[in-house]
Each structure stands twice: as structure tokens, then as C-alpha cells.
Amino acid sequence: MDITSRAEFAATPEQVFTMLTDQGYLEQVCVASHALSYECSVQGSTTRSRRELPAPEQARKFTGASLTIVEEVAWGDADPQGARTARLTLSVPGQPMTMTGTASLAPGGAGSVVSVAADLKVNIPLLGKKLEQSAAPAILEGLKIQEDVGKDWLAQH
């Protein structure tokens, strides 16, 4: 299932990249997403987070009361305008769900635009598509939380 999102920030691509690769920003996203526990790390231009979240109601019979989301975003170098592209991977250890795609950061909109284009897969025969459809809103909500936290972070920095 295709997952797409777009977020605008009133800041330069360099400022938004600094935010996206900031340990404090990543931790604020985890807190705002109501993570039961989390770990975040930044190595150069690659970020990793592992969050234990309450499972969506419709997924609980498969996952239990909570599930763990592991996300890695590996950013490439900036072009002369500050635009960058990242490889994005999301997995749920112990579950047959993955999401892979790209994130892009470019000048535009109010200052910068971050776009995500990814493919969500749940590899369960017969039920996979239905589970993808039920997981998509939670993933989109997670991307919205990243945007909201980002706007607050940029306003404070």
C-alpha cells in the first residue's frame, strides 16, 4: 500500500535537516507519540528510533497490547539548494510488516518541504491488504506527529 505525506516548515532546508537529525527532536517525537519506551540514536546523517507503542485496537489480536516500531532514516548529501533524499525503513520486529521508501527535503512552501513516499507491506496471506489498510492511518498519524513536533522544535531553536 502506498503511503505518502507532505509537511511544510518555515525554515531553510539546512535548519530542517539539523532538526531531523537532532537527538532531542527524535526523543520529543517519541514522547509525543505516547511511546511506552523508546531509544533514539544519531550517527552522522542516519537516525534510528525504536519505540514501543500501544497497539491499535484492530491489531491487538495479532500483536498483543503493544508493538515495537523500528525506524531508520539515512540521509544523503545536500545539493547546492540544500535538498536531500533519504532511504526510509520501518519494521515491526516479530511481525510481518515493513515499510520502505524515501523521504525528501527540499526548498519550497513556507521554506522547506519534507515529503515521504513509501510502500507498506503486511505479508499475511488473505489478510495482508486489510491489515495494511488498518495500519496506514496510524503511520500517517505518526508522520503528522513528526510534523507537529518539528514546527514546535523549530520555533524554539
Side-chain angles (χ1 to χ4, degrees):
M1 167 174 237
D2 290 336
I3 300 288
T4 59
S5 77
R6 174 182 158 83
E8 289 189 23
F9 297 99
T12 67
E14 182 179 332
Q15 292 168 318
V16 173
F17 176 72
T18 297
M19 172 193 73
L20 293 171
T21 56
D22 181 86
Q23 179 87 22
Y25 163 76
L26 296 172
E27 290 173 356
Q28 286 179 22
V29 168
C30 291
V31 170
S33 64
H34 306 291
L36 304 170
S37 65
Y38 62 87
E39 298 171 19
C40 302
S41 66
V42 179
Q43 281 190 295
S45 58
T46 299
T47 64
R48 290 178 187 83
S49 67
R50 180 182 191 92
R51 291 175 271 184
E52 181 186 0
L53 300 167
E57 186 72 35
Q58 64 272 26
R60 287 187 183 150
K61 66 181 175 180
F62 299 104
T63 65
S66 67
L67 53 83
T68 300
I69 304 286
V70 177
E71 179 181 65
E72 180 176 291
V73 182
W75 290 97
D77 294 333
D79 72 10
Q81 290 76 40
R84 297 173 184 263
T85 302
R87 184 186 75 250
L88 167 68
T89 58
L90 185 140
S91 62
V92 181
Q95 301 297 323
M97 184 185 122
T98 59
M99 188 174 85
T100 57
T102 58
S104 63
L105 166 61
S112 298
V113 174
V114 175
S115 300
V116 171
D119 185 32
L120 173 64
K121 290 277 187 211
V122 177
N123 292 317
I124 298 176
L126 304 174
L127 294 174
K129 292 290 182 201
K130 183 174 178 87
L131 292 172
E132 289 168 9
Q133 290 170 347
S134 64
I139 290 171
L140 291 170
E141 176 62 24
L143 293 168
K144 178 70 172 131
I145 289 169
Q146 291 178 10
E147 177 184 7
D148 293 345
V149 169
K151 288 179 178 178
D152 289 343
W153 191 93
L154 288 165
Q156 295 171 12
H157 293 82

